[in-house]
């Protein structure tokens, strides 16, 4: 049986499309309620990282 390759990690603007798909799934109710908190926390992490970058702080920050 052939080994399945993991999907490629999105880069650059590919994230925009991927996040758009997430928005559509959330709006359509295709995401379980039990997963909403974890998704919200991850989205906040993304927003904080983008804000750090826009302020010129490029050093990674641990959680």
């Amino acid at each position: 049986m052939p080994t399945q390759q993991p999907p490629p990690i999105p880069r650059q603007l590919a994230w925009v499309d991927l996040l758009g798909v997430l928005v559509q799934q959330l709006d359509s109710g295709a995401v379980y309620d039990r997963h909403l908190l974890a998704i919200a926390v991850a989205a906040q992490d993304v927003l904080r990282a983008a804000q750090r970058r826009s302020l010129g702080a490029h050093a990674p920050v641990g959680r």
Side-chain angles (χ1 to χ4, degrees):
M1 180 178 291
T3 304
Q4 188 174 11
Q5 296 294 323
I9 296 172
R11 294 187 47 83
Q12 311 300 331
L13 287 176
W15 282 109
V16 174
D17 294 334
L18 199 56
L19 290 170
V21 171
L22 178 58
V23 167
Q24 291 173 348
Q25 289 183 7
L26 289 166
D27 285 345
S28 70
V31 176
Y32 289 117
D33 289 346
R34 66 179 177 261
H35 297 151
L36 293 178
L37 180 59
I39 292 169
V41 169
Q44 288 173 338
D45 288 346
V46 169
L47 182 57
R48 280 194 292 272
Q51 289 170 334
R52 283 192 303 271
R53 284 291 306 269
S54 69
L55 296 174
H58 297 287
V61 176
R63 284 181 69 168

